[in-house]
């Protein structure tokens, strides 16, 4: 029994930590449109620079270089993305107009309207980096 007990303890510890290890935090960038009466889309930029899209969106660039990723990180820092409110409904925004969102690593910010210039600057940089059409 003395030899079995440490094995049981180790098994119990491993079983408790595996689900936490499997819960991977998102990295890279994502942005898109949701709600309103326009079809939603998502653009995801992995840390490797690979660009993936879903929904009603077309991009001209499917991979970003390290300098391009560094530039996006710089804009996220300069705009103090981490301090933006997680959700903003700009006054005067019509209910049927879609909201946009930006995710940097694990933090997502959603804005309905165009009243946050720092957010708009980062969103425009992301759109330009992948050469979003339209």
């Amino acid at each position: 029994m003395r030899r079995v007990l440490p094995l049981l303890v180790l098994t119990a510890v491993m079983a408790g930590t595996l689900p936490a290890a499997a819960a991977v935090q998102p990295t890279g960038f994502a942005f898109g449109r949701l709600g309103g009466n326009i079809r939603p889309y998502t653009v995801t930029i992995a840390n490797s620079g690979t660009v993936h899209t879903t929904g009603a969106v077309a991009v001209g660039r499917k991979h970003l270089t390290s300098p391009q990723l560094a530039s996006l990180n710089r804009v996220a820092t300069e705009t103090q993305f981490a301090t933006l409110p997680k959700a903003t409904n700009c006054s005067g925004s019509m209910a049927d107009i879609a909201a946009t969102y930006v995710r940097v690593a694990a933090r997502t910010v959603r804005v309905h309207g165009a009243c946050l210039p720092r957010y708009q600057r980062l969103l425009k940089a992301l759109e330009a980096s992948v050469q979003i059409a339209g």
Side-chain angles (χ1 to χ4, degrees), residues 19-31:
V24 176
Q25 290 291 321
T27 59
F29 299 91
F31 66 96

Side-chain angles (χ1 to χ4, degrees), residues 38-62:
I38 299 176
R39 294 185 322 175
Y41 72 82
T42 297
V43 176
T44 305
I45 304 168
N47 282 347
S48 65
T50 304
V51 177
H52 295 283
T53 62
T54 60
V57 65
V59 296
R61 187 176 287 141
K62 294 287 189 172

Side-chain angles (χ1 to χ4, degrees), residues 67 113 125-126:
L126 289 163

Side-chain angles (χ1 to χ4, degrees), residues 69-104:
L69 291 170
S71 177
L72 289 175
N73 279 308
R74 186 171 39 260
V75 173
T77 300
E78 289 172 354
T79 59
Q80 299 175 336
F81 180 79
T83 66
L84 291 173
K86 288 189 175 194
T88 300
N89 287 314
C90 300
S91 63
S93 295
M94 305 291 278
D96 62 344
I97 294 177
T100 59
Y101 69 92
V102 170
R103 180 183 55 75
V104 177

